[in-house]
PDB file of all heavy atoms in Angstrom:
ATOM      1  N   TYR A 376       7.706  65.882  -3.245  1.00 97.00           N
ATOM      2  CA  TYR A 376       6.424  66.222  -2.625  1.00 97.00           C
ATOM      3  C   TYR A 376       5.566  64.964  -2.579  1.00 97.00           C
ATOM      4  O   TYR A 376       5.504  64.199  -3.542  1.00 97.00           O
ATOM      5  CB  TYR A 376       5.695  67.293  -3.433  1.00 97.00           C
ATOM      6  CG  TYR A 376       6.319  68.666  -3.331  1.00 97.00           C
ATOM      7  CD1 TYR A 376       6.835  69.306  -4.457  1.00 97.00           C
ATOM      8  CD2 TYR A 376       6.371  69.325  -2.113  1.00 97.00           C
ATOM      9  CE1 TYR A 376       7.405  70.565  -4.378  1.00 97.00           C
ATOM     10  CE2 TYR A 376       6.940  70.592  -2.019  1.00 97.00           C
ATOM     11  CZ  TYR A 376       7.456  71.206  -3.144  1.00 97.00           C
ATOM     12  OH  TYR A 376       8.017  72.448  -3.051  1.00 97.00           O
ATOM     13  N   ILE A 377       4.902  64.745  -1.450  1.00 97.00           N
ATOM     14  CA  ILE A 377       3.954  63.643  -1.340  1.00 97.00           C
ATOM     15  C   ILE A 377       2.609  64.213  -0.912  1.00 97.00           C
ATOM     16  O   ILE A 377       2.550  65.252  -0.243  1.00 97.00           O
ATOM     17  CB  ILE A 377       4.419  62.560  -0.341  1.00 97.00           C
ATOM     18  CG1 ILE A 377       4.669  63.149   1.051  1.00 97.00           C
ATOM     19  CG2 ILE A 377       5.663  61.854  -0.864  1.00 97.00           C
ATOM     20  CD1 ILE A 377       5.028  62.103   2.102  1.00 97.00           C
ATOM     21  N   ALA A 378       1.534  63.568  -1.348  1.00 97.00           N
ATOM     22  CA  ALA A 378       0.188  64.064  -1.066  1.00 97.00           C
ATOM     23  C   ALA A 378      -0.681  62.913  -0.578  1.00 97.00           C
ATOM     24  O   ALA A 378      -0.576  61.792  -1.075  1.00 97.00           O
ATOM     25  CB  ALA A 378      -0.418  64.678  -2.332  1.00 97.00           C
ATOM     26  N   LEU A 379      -1.523  63.191   0.385  1.00 97.00           N
ATOM     27  CA  LEU A 379      -2.495  62.210   0.855  1.00 97.00           C
ATOM     28  C   LEU A 379      -3.888  62.806   0.694  1.00 97.00           C
ATOM     29  O   LEU A 379      -4.259  63.747   1.390  1.00 97.00           O
ATOM     30  CB  LEU A 379      -2.258  61.843   2.319  1.00 97.00           C
ATOM     31  CG  LEU A 379      -3.178  60.740   2.858  1.00 97.00           C
ATOM     32  CD1 LEU A 379      -2.763  59.385   2.291  1.00 97.00           C
ATOM     33  CD2 LEU A 379      -3.157  60.692   4.386  1.00 97.00           C
ATOM     34  N   SER A 380      -4.649  62.268  -0.267  1.00 97.00           N
ATOM     35  CA  SER A 380      -6.048  62.655  -0.412  1.00 97.00           C
ATOM     36  C   SER A 380      -6.891  61.686   0.409  1.00 97.00           C
ATOM     37  O   SER A 380      -6.634  60.479   0.413  1.00 97.00           O
ATOM     38  CB  SER A 380      -6.480  62.609  -1.885  1.00 97.00           C
ATOM     39  OG  SER A 380      -5.860  63.628  -2.622  1.00 97.00           O
ATOM     40  N   TYR A 381      -7.915  62.209   1.082  1.00 97.00           N
ATOM     41  CA  TYR A 381      -8.669  61.353   1.988  1.00 97.00           C
ATOM     42  C   TYR A 381     -10.119  61.807   2.070  1.00 97.00           C
ATOM     43  O   TYR A 381     -10.477  62.930   1.710  1.00 97.00           O
ATOM     44  CB  TYR A 381      -8.040  61.363   3.387  1.00 97.00           C
ATOM     45  CG  TYR A 381      -7.927  62.724   4.038  1.00 97.00           C
ATOM     46  CD1 TYR A 381      -8.870  63.152   4.973  1.00 97.00           C
ATOM     47  CD2 TYR A 381      -6.875  63.591   3.723  1.00 97.00           C
ATOM     48  CE1 TYR A 381      -8.764  64.406   5.574  1.00 97.00           C
ATOM     49  CE2 TYR A 381      -6.761  64.837   4.315  1.00 97.00           C
ATOM     50  CZ  TYR A 381      -7.713  65.236   5.237  1.00 97.00           C
ATOM     51  OH  TYR A 381      -7.614  66.473   5.829  1.00 97.00           O
ATOM     52  N   ASP A 382     -10.967  60.884   2.543  1.00 96.00           N
ATOM     53  CA  ASP A 382     -12.386  61.152   2.721  1.00 96.00           C
ATOM     54  C   ASP A 382     -12.579  61.749   4.112  1.00 96.00           C
ATOM     55  O   ASP A 382     -12.461  61.045   5.125  1.00 96.00           O
ATOM     56  CB  ASP A 382     -13.177  59.851   2.567  1.00 96.00           C
ATOM     57  CG  ASP A 382     -14.684  60.078   2.561  1.00 96.00           C
ATOM     58  OD1 ASP A 382     -15.121  61.186   2.949  1.00 96.00           O
ATOM     59  OD2 ASP A 382     -15.421  59.155   2.182  1.00 96.00           O
ATOM     60  N   HIS A 383     -12.890  63.028   4.150  1.00 96.00           N
ATOM     61  CA  HIS A 383     -12.986  63.742   5.420  1.00 96.00           C
ATOM     62  C   HIS A 383     -14.193  63.301   6.250  1.00 96.00           C
ATOM     63  O   HIS A 383     -14.292  63.616   7.439  1.00 96.00           O
ATOM     64  CB  HIS A 383     -13.072  65.253   5.147  1.00 96.00           C
ATOM     65  CG  HIS A 383     -12.490  66.102   6.241  1.00 96.00           C
ATOM     66  ND1 HIS A 383     -12.085  65.591   7.450  1.00 96.00           N
ATOM     67  CD2 HIS A 383     -12.255  67.443   6.304  1.00 96.00           C
ATOM     68  CE1 HIS A 383     -11.632  66.576   8.219  1.00 96.00           C
ATOM     69  NE2 HIS A 383     -11.723  67.695   7.541  1.00 96.00           N
ATOM     70  N   ARG A 384     -15.117  62.548   5.637  1.00 95.00           N
ATOM     71  CA  ARG A 384     -16.237  62.016   6.412  1.00 95.00           C
ATOM     72  C   ARG A 384     -15.758  61.000   7.447  1.00 95.00           C
ATOM     73  O   ARG A 384     -16.379  60.825   8.494  1.00 95.00           O
ATOM     74  CB  ARG A 384     -17.243  61.329   5.484  1.00 95.00           C
ATOM     75  CG  ARG A 384     -17.914  62.223   4.447  1.00 95.00           C
ATOM     76  CD  ARG A 384     -18.827  61.402   3.561  1.00 95.00           C
ATOM     77  NE  ARG A 384     -18.087  60.327   2.904  1.00 95.00           N
ATOM     78  CZ  ARG A 384     -18.664  59.278   2.299  1.00 95.00           C
ATOM     79  NH1 ARG A 384     -19.999  59.172   2.299  1.00 95.00           N
ATOM     80  NH2 ARG A 384     -17.928  58.350   1.714  1.00 95.00           N
ATOM     81  N   LEU A 385     -14.654  60.321   7.117  1.00 96.00           N
ATOM     82  CA  LEU A 385     -14.142  59.263   7.981  1.00 96.00           C
ATOM     83  C   LEU A 385     -12.832  59.642   8.660  1.00 96.00           C
ATOM     84  O   LEU A 385     -12.592  59.304   9.823  1.00 96.00           O
ATOM     85  CB  LEU A 385     -13.940  57.987   7.145  1.00 96.00           C
ATOM     86  CG  LEU A 385     -13.225  56.803   7.791  1.00 96.00           C
ATOM     87  CD1 LEU A 385     -13.994  56.332   9.022  1.00 96.00           C
ATOM     88  CD2 LEU A 385     -13.071  55.668   6.794  1.00 96.00           C
ATOM     89  N   ILE A 386     -11.969  60.343   7.930  1.00 97.00           N
ATOM     90  CA  ILE A 386     -10.623  60.644   8.421  1.00 97.00           C
ATOM     91  C   ILE A 386     -10.543  62.119   8.792  1.00 97.00           C
ATOM     92  O   ILE A 386     -10.802  63.000   7.962  1.00 97.00           O
ATOM     93  CB  ILE A 386      -9.573  60.311   7.344  1.00 97.00           C
ATOM     94  CG1 ILE A 386      -9.694  58.840   6.927  1.00 97.00           C
ATOM     95  CG2 ILE A 386      -8.173  60.618   7.841  1.00 97.00           C
ATOM     96  CD1 ILE A 386      -8.881  58.492   5.695  1.00 97.00           C
ATOM     97  N   ASP A 387     -10.168  62.393  10.020  1.00 96.00           N
ATOM     98  CA  ASP A 387      -9.985  63.772  10.466  1.00 96.00           C
ATOM     99  C   ASP A 387      -8.658  64.322   9.956  1.00 96.00           C
ATOM    100  O   ASP A 387      -7.742  63.557   9.613  1.00 96.00           O
ATOM    101  CB  ASP A 387     -10.012  63.849  11.995  1.00 96.00           C
ATOM    102  CG  ASP A 387     -11.385  63.494  12.554  1.00 96.00           C
ATOM    103  OD1 ASP A 387     -12.384  63.707  11.852  1.00 96.00           O
ATOM    104  OD2 ASP A 387     -11.437  62.994  13.698  1.00 96.00           O
ATOM    105  N   GLY A 388      -8.563  65.644   9.926  1.00 95.00           N
ATOM    106  CA  GLY A 388      -7.333  66.270   9.455  1.00 95.00           C
ATOM    107  C   GLY A 388      -6.121  65.847  10.259  1.00 95.00           C
ATOM    108  O   GLY A 388      -5.044  65.614   9.711  1.00 95.00           O
ATOM    109  N   ARG A 389      -6.287  65.768  11.577  1.00 96.00           N
ATOM    110  CA  ARG A 389      -5.167  65.348  12.429  1.00 96.00           C
ATOM    111  C   ARG A 389      -4.668  63.954  12.054  1.00 96.00           C
ATOM    112  O   ARG A 389      -3.460  63.716  11.993  1.00 96.00           O
ATOM    113  CB  ARG A 389      -5.611  65.350  13.895  1.00 96.00           C
ATOM    114  CG  ARG A 389      -4.519  64.882  14.874  1.00 96.00           C
ATOM    115  CD  ARG A 389      -5.086  64.714  16.269  1.00 96.00           C
ATOM    116  NE  ARG A 389      -6.144  63.719  16.310  1.00 96.00           N
ATOM    117  CZ  ARG A 389      -5.915  62.395  16.376  1.00 96.00           C
ATOM    118  NH1 ARG A 389      -4.675  61.944  16.399  1.00 96.00           N
ATOM    119  NH2 ARG A 389      -6.925  61.550  16.426  1.00 96.00           N
ATOM    120  N   GLU A 390      -5.599  63.047  11.780  1.00 97.00           N
ATOM    121  CA  GLU A 390      -5.207  61.680  11.411  1.00 97.00           C
ATOM    122  C   GLU A 390      -4.498  61.653  10.065  1.00 97.00           C
ATOM    123  O   GLU A 390      -3.497  60.946   9.890  1.00 97.00           O
ATOM    124  CB  GLU A 390      -6.456  60.789  11.370  1.00 97.00           C
ATOM    125  CG  GLU A 390      -7.109  60.593  12.723  1.00 97.00           C
ATOM    126  CD  GLU A 390      -8.422  59.856  12.639  1.00 97.00           C
ATOM    127  OE1 GLU A 390      -9.229  60.185  11.744  1.00 97.00           O
ATOM    128  OE2 GLU A 390      -8.648  58.945  13.454  1.00 97.00           O
ATOM    129  N   ALA A 391      -5.004  62.425   9.110  1.00 97.00           N
ATOM    130  CA  ALA A 391      -4.387  62.444   7.788  1.00 97.00           C
ATOM    131  C   ALA A 391      -2.977  63.027   7.853  1.00 97.00           C
ATOM    132  O   ALA A 391      -2.028  62.472   7.274  1.00 97.00           O
ATOM    133  CB  ALA A 391      -5.251  63.258   6.820  1.00 97.00           C
ATOM    134  N   VAL A 392      -2.832  64.131   8.544  1.00 97.00           N
ATOM    135  CA  VAL A 392      -1.511  64.769   8.659  1.00 97.00           C
ATOM    136  C   VAL A 392      -0.538  63.859   9.393  1.00 97.00           C
ATOM    137  O   VAL A 392       0.635  63.729   8.996  1.00 97.00           O
ATOM    138  CB  VAL A 392      -1.640  66.125   9.379  1.00 97.00           C
ATOM    139  CG1 VAL A 392      -0.258  66.687   9.710  1.00 97.00           C
ATOM    140  CG2 VAL A 392      -2.417  67.114   8.514  1.00 97.00           C
ATOM    141  N   THR A 393      -1.020  63.198  10.444  1.00 97.00           N
ATOM    142  CA  THR A 393      -0.152  62.292  11.203  1.00 97.00           C
ATOM    143  C   THR A 393       0.295  61.110  10.355  1.00 97.00           C
ATOM    144  O   THR A 393       1.464  60.704  10.388  1.00 97.00           O
ATOM    145  CB  THR A 393      -0.891  61.777  12.453  1.00 97.00           C
ATOM    146  OG1 THR A 393      -1.273  62.893  13.273  1.00 97.00           O
ATOM    147  CG2 THR A 393       0.000  60.850  13.263  1.00 97.00           C
ATOM    148  N   ALA A 394      -0.632  60.537   9.566  1.00 97.00           N
ATOM    149  CA  ALA A 394      -0.283  59.411   8.704  1.00 97.00           C
ATOM    150  C   ALA A 394       0.768  59.820   7.668  1.00 97.00           C
ATOM    151  O   ALA A 394       1.748  59.094   7.433  1.00 97.00           O
ATOM    152  CB  ALA A 394      -1.531  58.879   8.003  1.00 97.00           C
ATOM    153  N   LEU A 395       0.582  60.974   7.055  1.00 97.00           N
ATOM    154  CA  LEU A 395       1.543  61.429   6.042  1.00 97.00           C
ATOM    155  C   LEU A 395       2.894  61.736   6.683  1.00 97.00           C
ATOM    156  O   LEU A 395       3.954  61.464   6.097  1.00 97.00           O
ATOM    157  CB  LEU A 395       0.996  62.664   5.330  1.00 97.00           C
ATOM    158  CG  LEU A 395       1.706  63.029   4.021  1.00 97.00           C
ATOM    159  CD1 LEU A 395       1.571  61.912   2.999  1.00 97.00           C
ATOM    160  CD2 LEU A 395       1.145  64.326   3.444  1.00 97.00           C
ATOM    161  N   LYS A 396       2.878  62.289   7.892  1.00 97.00           N
ATOM    162  CA  LYS A 396       4.121  62.578   8.607  1.00 97.00           C
ATOM    163  C   LYS A 396       4.857  61.282   8.956  1.00 97.00           C
ATOM    164  O   LYS A 396       6.087  61.226   8.891  1.00 97.00           O
ATOM    165  CB  LYS A 396       3.815  63.375   9.875  1.00 97.00           C
ATOM    166  CG  LYS A 396       5.053  63.816  10.667  1.00 97.00           C
ATOM    167  CD  LYS A 396       4.628  64.775  11.774  1.00 97.00           C
ATOM    168  CE  LYS A 396       5.839  65.213  12.609  1.00 97.00           C
ATOM    169  NZ  LYS A 396       6.304  64.117  13.496  1.00 97.00           N
ATOM    170  N   THR A 397       4.120  60.235   9.300  1.00 97.00           N
ATOM    171  CA  THR A 397       4.740  58.940   9.597  1.00 97.00           C
ATOM    172  C   THR A 397       5.438  58.389   8.369  1.00 97.00           C
ATOM    173  O   THR A 397       6.558  57.851   8.444  1.00 97.00           O
ATOM    174  CB  THR A 397       3.667  57.938  10.080  1.00 97.00           C
ATOM    175  OG1 THR A 397       3.083  58.422  11.290  1.00 97.00           O
ATOM    176  CG2 THR A 397       4.276  56.563  10.331  1.00 97.00           C
ATOM    177  N   ILE A 398       4.797  58.518   7.205  1.00 97.00           N
ATOM    178  CA  ILE A 398       5.406  58.064   5.954  1.00 97.00           C
ATOM    179  C   ILE A 398       6.675  58.858   5.668  1.00 97.00           C
ATOM    180  O   ILE A 398       7.718  58.298   5.308  1.00 97.00           O
ATOM    181  CB  ILE A 398       4.403  58.197   4.792  1.00 97.00           C
ATOM    182  CG1 ILE A 398       3.234  57.231   5.002  1.00 97.00           C
ATOM    183  CG2 ILE A 398       5.083  57.945   3.450  1.00 97.00           C
ATOM    184  CD1 ILE A 398       2.086  57.411   4.024  1.00 97.00           C
ATOM    185  N   LYS A 399       6.600  60.169   5.847  1.00 97.00           N
ATOM    186  CA  LYS A 399       7.765  61.037   5.622  1.00 97.00           C
ATOM    187  C   LYS A 399       8.935  60.622   6.516  1.00 97.00           C
ATOM    188  O   LYS A 399      10.075  60.456   6.042  1.00 97.00           O
ATOM    189  CB  LYS A 399       7.371  62.486   5.901  1.00 97.00           C
ATOM    190  CG  LYS A 399       8.543  63.462   5.999  1.00 97.00           C
ATOM    191  CD  LYS A 399       8.041  64.838   6.438  1.00 97.00           C
ATOM    192  CE  LYS A 399       9.194  65.775   6.793  1.00 97.00           C
ATOM    193  NZ  LYS A 399       9.984  66.168   5.623  1.00 97.00           N
ATOM    194  N   GLU A 400       8.679  60.423   7.801  1.00 96.00           N
ATOM    195  CA  GLU A 400       9.744  60.092   8.743  1.00 96.00           C
ATOM    196  C   GLU A 400      10.366  58.729   8.443  1.00 96.00           C
ATOM    197  O   GLU A 400      11.575  58.544   8.586  1.00 96.00           O
ATOM    198  CB  GLU A 400       9.194  60.124  10.167  1.00 96.00           C
ATOM    199  CG  GLU A 400       8.833  61.533  10.644  1.00 96.00           C
ATOM    200  CD  GLU A 400       8.131  61.530  11.996  1.00 96.00           C
ATOM    201  OE1 GLU A 400       7.668  60.427  12.411  1.00 96.00           O
ATOM    202  OE2 GLU A 400       8.035  62.594  12.630  1.00 96.00           O
ATOM    203  N   ALA A 401       9.548  57.778   8.016  1.00 96.00           N
ATOM    204  CA  ALA A 401      10.071  56.444   7.701  1.00 96.00           C
ATOM    205  C   ALA A 401      10.945  56.473   6.458  1.00 96.00           C
ATOM    206  O   ALA A 401      11.946  55.753   6.375  1.00 96.00           O
ATOM    207  CB  ALA A 401       8.914  55.461   7.506  1.00 96.00           C
TER     208      ALA A 401
END
Side-chain angles (χ1 to χ4, degrees):
Y376 288 118
I377 57 176
L379 184 73
S380 291
Y381 58 99
D382 187 345
H383 210 352
R384 297 177 303 165
L385 171 60
I386 303 169
D387 294 332
R389 178 188 61 81
E390 294 173 316
V392 171
T393 301
L395 195 62
K396 184 171 179 286
T397 298
I398 294 172
K399 168 187 170 69
E400 291 173 345

